[in-house]
Amino acid sequence: MKSCLYECEVMHARFEPRAHRFSYRIFLFALDLEEIPELARKLTLFSAGRSNLYSFRDRDYRPLGERQHLPASPEAPSPQEADLRQRVETYAAANGVDISGGRVLLVTLPRVFGYLFNPVSFYFCRDRDGRPLGAIAEVTNTFREMKPFFVPADPADAARGVFRLRVPKQFYVSPYSDVAVAFDFHLRLPGDQLAIRIDDYVGEERTLTSTLAGPRRALTTGRLAWFTLKYPLLTLRVISLIHWHALLLWAKRVPWFAKAARAADQRDLYRPHSSLKPAPVPSAPSAL
């Protein structure tokens, strides 16, 4: 089985305009998309498409709604017709990469006791010969909006599975980070260790760094049972920590940005919040 778990430390460090750093420990699933049905049969605590302690549902990934500012291709299957693997292939192909016949490893948190929240999930894509072709970072904010970023293999280090991209964010991730900054992704193909870093840049100044790193663990029912005790209510804990540290940043008087104030700069995302949708034009009063 290529699927496994990663026991990780998450670290966030803000440099500007106020220093703020925190870290916490979690575990993540690394799921080979081809193995999910077999995992659901073998693991007592994990299911696909139905409720369990840990449940994986296709609809939670690779968006089901319309994409803002980017109409769907008429050749692409509708979200209701395409399974997760097809949607990943379609997105990779739109970015010039053919992963048909290859493998896709999804690093994520499934639903825990039915509750889902993933700040970011990663798809690592290989061709049929095992060569790394690219990765997809699927970022989700607390408004449940989702934006994918295709991260190509670094030409200078592709053989070792290094993926690099710096790109305008144009997405509201935090009220304490402007949508106009750039994401700088530095990802490595998971092996014995998971190693991910995402930086925020304003021009050439790094203002925030986030890392995710930790060793591989076997994906077994026993390990899941132990991690459930060690990391209880994991998805709830993650979103609770996000709001707690937002409160601490507010207490430090870090300037914040209202989501609706920069609506035009939030682009190419899925499941757009109502603050981004144009207000209906009121109808003219009828003449009496």
Side-chain angles (χ1 to χ4, degrees):
M1 301 290 284
K2 296 178 174 61
S3 301
C4 64
L5 302 172
Y6 285 98
E7 190 173 15
C8 303
E9 180 179 42
V10 180
M11 188 278 295
H12 297 277
R14 182 180 297 272
F15 311 116
E16 296 289 344
R18 304 277 192 279
H20 184 76
R21 184 186 187 279
F22 67 95
S23 64
Y24 57 93
R25 297 192 63 79
I26 63 171
F27 75 95
L28 295 171
F29 285 68
L31 300 172
D32 185 296
L33 295 188
E34 304 299 324
E35 293 178 350
I36 289 175
E38 185 178 357
L39 290 169
R41 289 192 298 270
K42 287 185 173 182
L43 299 174
T44 304
L45 303 179
F46 174 85
S47 294
R50 63 183 182 85
S51 298
N52 201 332
L53 177 56
Y54 300 96
S55 55
F56 179 88
R57 298 182 186 273
D58 254 21
R59 68 171 183 263
D60 293 333
Y61 298 88
R62 293 294 307 124
L64 294 177
E66 293 183 0
R67 186 172 183 179
Q68 182 193 13
H69 307 314
L70 189 60
S73 166
E75 293 80 20
S78 72
Q80 288 73 27
E81 296 170 345
D83 65 13
L84 178 58
R85 170 68 196 221
Q86 288 177 300
R87 298 197 299 271
V88 173
E89 281 195 21
T90 298
Y91 185 77
N95 286 275
V97 171
D98 180 9
I99 63 169
S100 55
R103 306 299 287 249
V104 177
L105 187 73
L106 170 59
V107 177
T108 189
L109 266 178
R111 291 176 177 265
V112 181
F113 290 106
Y115 181 75
L116 176 75
F117 182 70
N118 269 308
V120 58
S121 296
F122 300 94
Y123 304 79
F124 293 92
C125 306
R126 301 173 183 250
D127 67 11
R128 64 181 69 244
D129 297 317
R131 291 180 297 235
L133 296 178
I136 302 167
E138 191 172 85
V139 183
T140 303
N141 62 21
T142 54
F143 291 90
R144 305 290 178 172
E145 296 171 324
M146 179 188 292
K147 183 169 181 177
F149 297 86
F150 186 82
V151 186
D154 185 343
D157 214 357
R160 293 199 304 138
V162 175
F163 311 93
R164 292 294 306 272
L165 176 72
R166 187 179 295 189
V167 62
K169 183 170 63 170
Q170 296 177 329
F171 186 48
Y172 190 87
V173 176
S174 163
Y176 299 101
S177 294
D178 196 355
V179 298
V181 307
F183 272 148
D184 189 88
F185 293 96
H186 190 146
L187 317 177
R188 287 185 178 274
L189 193 68
D192 291 337
Q193 296 280 328
L194 182 68
I196 288 169
R197 190 180 82 233
I198 306 174
D199 298 325
D200 280 16
Y201 277 86
V202 177
E204 292 303 312
E205 181 181 10
R206 188 172 66 152
T207 58
L208 175 71
T209 187
S210 302
T211 62
L212 178 63
R216 177 189 175 106
R217 306 296 190 203
L219 177 48
T220 64
T221 294
R223 179 72 67 172
L224 282 179
W226 166 235
F227 278 0
T228 301
L229 297 174
K230 191 175 182 181
Y231 305 102
L233 300 174
L234 190 52
T235 47
L236 281 171
R237 181 169 179 258
V238 169
I239 199 164
S240 297
L241 284 169
I242 287 173
H243 286 93
W244 170 245
H245 285 280
L247 180 62
L248 294 178
L249 290 172
W250 174 82
K252 289 184 176 183
R253 300 184 182 277
V254 175
W256 66 280
F257 303 86
K259 178 172 173 56
R262 300 289 298 274
D265 296 324
Q266 299 169 54
R267 303 176 186 173
D268 298 337
L269 56 95
Y270 293 86
R271 303 192 301 229
H273 185 255
S274 58
S275 63
L276 302 185
K277 298 174 182 177
V281 177
S283 57
S286 57
L288 296 178

